[in-house]
């Protein structure tokens, strides 16, 4: 049996997206692969069985600019990676992750991830289903597509940032490897490789569009294997899903897109909710429901809200002590007679909200403008303890909010000590989502690790 692997044999040259493409036609059988572990080729399908199974393209050639296409399937528990620009040691170049296991505790390195550089928190495909993988290397650009959807678009800068353990994760030249690391199988078919010359590739122009990794905090999170997910992004201020996807790929921050659901908001009933989800399932985002107002629990069915990857709410909308509907961000609705009494009333409302059926509490411990300049004074140790105890008892995650720079360090530290999980949220009100500066600062100061972060329950 033969695996159809198209290896470079120059026949003709033609202009292709601004550079020269070398057409290819040779077909090489499975002897082109140097294998170890349990590797089976049957009915034109190459199977890596279990961990330590490996196939290295062993044709003696080194590839620099190329496009690799293949159909891939991961069986239950099957995971591993595709190595590019690698060698016989398989310790150099980049790895593209293959992992569709929703229960994997390392949930931030799913299929399509450019490992340690652009880790992905959402897999588009399920175990035991065939999908199409496309990997293109063009100069300093690496692009990964799954079923035609671009999931990674990374430009390696002139001065990449790498930790010692990832020092060889760089572009150079090399071969292709297929490696299994899980308990299940990886399967490949219809493998084709098209090789391009460097003619016409403007690397200085690519570098001009690359992120400066010497100052970038996001690459450092990827390098230390920390989940890079903004759980609280809105399509607001003219931000479209297309622009959001492009922005996410450029910065390396995965997005959880949240839609406001409740009376007077974008989604007001189950039908609208399901229609929205139908348009978003194939998009490269985790999908969140932001539950608005206290009546949201009866506005939407349990089945409908469970269709999201997670649900969150805040305590910024409530009835105050005199029964007046209050939105804390609307100054004219915030009527304060006694600040300390008002603070106690807000804490009561927060603790009540923590009993609602959501996964996380966001805009955490928000104070209205009239009180926010004395945030630390109002959030006394006694109040923090009451809040953290209620939060830990509820099992909900706590958002560290980029927009308002809340909660403060004291609250985060006590929540961490109580075993609370965390999320990072931009809660953007403009098209520029940002790069989670406050969240990352709190991560460092409070010693948060990957295990402290909330794991979404992805529906596809």
């Amino acid at each position: 049996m033969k695996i159809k692997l198209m290896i470079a044999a120059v026949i003709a040259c033609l202009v292709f997206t601004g550079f020269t493409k070398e057409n290819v036609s040779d077909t090489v059988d499975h002897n082109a692969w140097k294998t170890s572990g349990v590797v089976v080729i049957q009915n034109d399908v190459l199977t890596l069985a279990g961990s330590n199974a490996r196939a290295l393209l062993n044709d003696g050639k080194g590839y620099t600019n190329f496009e690799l296409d293949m159909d891939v399937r991961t069986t239950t528990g099957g995971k591993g990676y595709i190595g590019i620009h690698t060698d016989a040691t398989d310790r150099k170049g980049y790895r593209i992750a293959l992992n569709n296991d929703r229960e994997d505790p390392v949930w931030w390195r799913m299929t399509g991830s450019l490992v340690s550089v652009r880790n992905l928190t959402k897999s588009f495909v399920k175990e035991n289903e065939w999908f199409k993988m496309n990997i293109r290397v063009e100069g300093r650009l690496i692009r990964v597509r799954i079923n035609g959807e671009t999931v990674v678009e990374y430009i390696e800068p002139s001065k990449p940032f790498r930790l010692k353990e990832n020092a060889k994760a760089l572009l150079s030249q090399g071969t292709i490897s297929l490696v299994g690391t899980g308990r299940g199988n990886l399967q490949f078919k219809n493998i084709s490789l098209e090789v391009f010359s460097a003619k016409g590739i403007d690397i200085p122009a690519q570098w001009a569009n690359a992120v400066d990794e010497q100052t970038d905090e996001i690459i450092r999170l990827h390098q230390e294997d920390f989940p890079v997910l903004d759980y609280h992004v809105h399509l607001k201020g003219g931000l479209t899903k297309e622009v959001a996807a492009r922005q996410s790929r450029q910065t390396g921050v995965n997005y959880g897109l949240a839609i406001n659901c409740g009376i007077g908001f974008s989604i007001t009933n189950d039908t609208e909710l399901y229609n929205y989800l139908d348009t978003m399932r194939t998009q490269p985002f985790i999908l969140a429901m932001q539950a608005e107002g206290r009546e949201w629990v009866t506005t939407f069915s349990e089945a409908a809200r469970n269709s999201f990857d997670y649900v969150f709410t805040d305590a910024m909308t409530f009835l105050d002590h005199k029964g007046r509907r209050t939105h804390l961000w609307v100054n004219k609705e915030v009527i304060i007679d006694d600040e300390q009494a008002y603070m106690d009333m807000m804490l009561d409302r927060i603790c009540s909200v923590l009993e609602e059926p959501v996964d996380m509490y966001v805009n955490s411990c928000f104070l209205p403008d009239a009180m926010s300049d004395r945030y630390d004074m109002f959030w006394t140790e006694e109040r923090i303890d009451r809040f953290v105890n209620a939060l830990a008892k509820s099992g909900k995650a706590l958002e560290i909010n980029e927009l308002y720079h809340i909660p403060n360090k004291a609250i985060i530290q006590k929540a961490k000590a109580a075993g609370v999980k965390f999320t990072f949220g931009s809660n953007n009100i403009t098209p520029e989502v940002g790069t989670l500066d406050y969240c990352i600062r709190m991560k460092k100061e409070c010693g948060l690790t990957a295990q402290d972060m909330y794991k979404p329950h992805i529906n596809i």
Side-chain angles (χ1 to χ4, degrees), residues 350-424:
I350 290 171
C351 291
S352 177
V353 164
L354 292 176
E355 297 177 2
E356 295 178 4
V358 297
D359 300 298
M360 60 188 73
Y361 166 58
V362 304
N363 295 319
S364 313
C365 307
F366 177 89
L367 296 185
D369 285 349
M371 301 169 64
S372 61
D373 60 335
R374 290 159 291 157
Y375 191 94
D376 293 347
M377 183 192 81
F378 286 113
W379 277 107
T380 62
E381 186 170 3
E382 181 181 359
R383 286 173 176 144
I384 292 174
D385 286 342
R386 182 186 170 197
F387 163 68
V388 169
N389 288 338
L391 180 65
K393 182 179 179 180
S394 76
K396 293 171 176 56
L398 177 67
E399 177 185 73
I400 302 175
N401 186 279
E402 185 68 25
L403 178 63
Y404 299 116
H405 287 193
I406 54 176
N408 63 13
K409 182 177 178 180
I411 295 173
I412 295 170
Q413 287 178 320
K414 288 211 169 191
K416 181 179 186 298
V420 170
K421 299 294 184 182
F422 295 89
T423 69
F424 294 166

Side-chain angles (χ1 to χ4, degrees), residues 107-127:
W107 51 269
W108 55 90
R109 266 192 270 133
M110 304 306 288
T111 290
S113 297
L114 193 62
V115 176
S116 81
V117 174
R118 289 293 184 266
N119 293 325
L120 302 178
T121 55
K122 177 178 179 177
S123 174
F124 281 79
V125 290
K126 298 178 181 179
E127 291 182 318

Side-chain angles (χ1 to χ4, degrees), residues 107 121-122 228-234 254-259 261 273 276-277 281 285-291 296 304-313 357-362 397 399 422-427 454-459:
W107 51 269
T121 55
K122 177 178 179 177
V228 186
L229 173 61
D230 188 334
Y231 296 74
H232 190 166
V233 176
H234 292 293
N254 295 278
Y255 287 173
L257 283 191
I259 187 75
C261 301
L273 185 153
Y276 167 78
L277 288 175
R281 281 290 180 220
F285 310 110
I286 293 176
L287 302 178
M289 175 185 186
Q290 179 161 358
W296 76 272
R305 63 181 185 252
N306 287 344
S307 298
F308 284 91
D309 299 325
Y310 52 83
V311 179
F312 60 69
T313 194
V358 297
D359 300 298
M360 60 188 73
Y361 166 58
V362 304
E399 177 185 73
F422 295 89
T423 69
F424 294 166
S426 287
N427 189 19
Y454 170 80
K455 176 186 176 183
H457 304 285
I458 307 298
N459 294 298

Side-chain angles (χ1 to χ4, degrees), residues 178-209:
L178 310 174
V179 180
T181 61
R183 57 184 174 82
N185 297 342
L186 301 180
Q187 296 182 307
F188 306 87
K189 65 180 181 180
N190 299 325
I191 305 172
S192 67
L193 180 66
E194 294 181 319
V195 181
F196 306 96
S197 77
K199 185 178 180 180
I201 301 176
D202 190 343
I203 291 179
Q206 291 180 333
W207 280 338
N209 291 311

Side-chain angles (χ1 to χ4, degrees), residues 34-200:
K34 180 180 180 181
T35 65
S36 60
V38 181
V39 180
V40 178
I41 298 176
Q42 187 174 17
N43 298 327
D44 286 343
V45 175
L46 186 155
T47 299
L48 306 181
S51 61
N52 301 317
R54 180 170 173 263
L56 182 77
L57 183 57
N58 191 38
D59 60 356
K61 299 180 180 180
Y63 302 106
T64 303
N65 301 296
F66 62 86
E67 187 155 9
L68 176 65
D69 284 285
M70 59 180 67
D71 295 343
V72 185
R73 179 167 63 182
T74 65
T75 67
T76 302
K79 61 193 71 173
Y81 60 87
I82 301 165
I84 60 173
H85 281 207
T86 190
D87 59 15
T89 69
D90 205 31
R91 295 175 182 172
K92 66 182 286 285
Y94 286 95
R95 297 176 176 184
I96 293 87
L98 298 171
N99 183 10
N100 301 312
D101 180 4
R102 299 291 185 278
E103 302 305 316
D104 194 329
V106 185
W107 51 269
W108 55 90
R109 266 192 270 133
M110 304 306 288
T111 290
S113 297
L114 193 62
V115 176
S116 81
V117 174
R118 289 293 184 266
N119 293 325
L120 302 178
T121 55
K122 177 178 179 177
S123 174
F124 281 79
V125 290
K126 298 178 181 179
E127 291 182 318
N128 302 305
E129 293 184 358
W130 286 102
F131 62 93
K132 294 188 178 298
M133 173 77 80
N134 171 275
I135 301 166
R136 184 185 186 91
V137 179
E138 178 185 334
R140 315 316 289 176
L141 171 67
I142 303 173
R143 187 196 66 201
V144 180
R145 286 178 173 166
I146 299 174
N147 288 337
E149 183 75 36
T150 301
V151 295
V152 168
E153 218 164 22
Y154 172 71
I155 299 175
E156 184 185 274
S158 57
K159 295 181 179 180
F161 175 84
R162 299 290 183 268
L163 295 179
K164 182 179 179 180
E165 56 267 32
N166 301 317
K168 293 185 178 181
L170 298 168
L171 290 171
S172 55
Q173 186 187 53
T175 189
I176 309 295
S177 66
L178 310 174
V179 180
T181 61
R183 57 184 174 82
N185 297 342
L186 301 180
Q187 296 182 307
F188 306 87
K189 65 180 181 180
N190 299 325
I191 305 172
S192 67
L193 180 66
E194 294 181 319
V195 181
F196 306 96
S197 77
K199 185 178 180 180

